[in-house]
Amino acid sequence: MTASTKSQGAIDKADKNENNFAANNDIVGHHAYSVVSANDNNITVRNPWGRSAATAEPTLTWAQFRAFYRDYTTED
């Protein structure tokens, strides 16, 4: 499963309400992440930049995910 972020402008705007979570975790616009795990409260994504990212696998609340990500794909 992969998830794609919104535009950088949309992320920056939403990040003002999230205490700079996206900026602090290298969640950037128009970028793909793999989904590592999810439950009723959180979703963890993996940045393909790996070790060069501030946080290689940030865990977001579902509200944060909806604020920063535009869609996701699953393999059938």
Side-chain angles (χ1 to χ4, degrees):
M1 177 181 267
T2 61
S4 301
T5 54
K6 295 179 179 180
S7 70
Q8 189 61 51
I11 291 172
D12 292 343
K13 183 176 179 180
D15 210 19
K16 292 177 183 176
N17 296 324
E18 297 295 337
N19 298 317
N20 296 315
F21 181 89
N24 292 336
N25 289 282
D26 281 340
I27 297 173
V28 297
H30 299 293
H31 189 52
Y33 295 76
S34 59
V35 175
V36 176
S37 65
N39 60 37
D40 290 341
N41 300 313
N42 302 306
I43 182 167
T44 300
V45 296
R46 177 176 293 133
N47 189 327
W49 293 343
R51 294 178 202 197
S52 65
T55 306
E57 293 185 0
T59 298
L60 301 87
T61 65
W62 283 105
Q64 289 171 320
F65 183 80
R66 286 188 297 277
F68 304 138
Y69 289 80
R70 62 181 170 86
D71 59 20
Y72 62 90
T73 61
T74 60
E75 188 174 307
D76 292 327

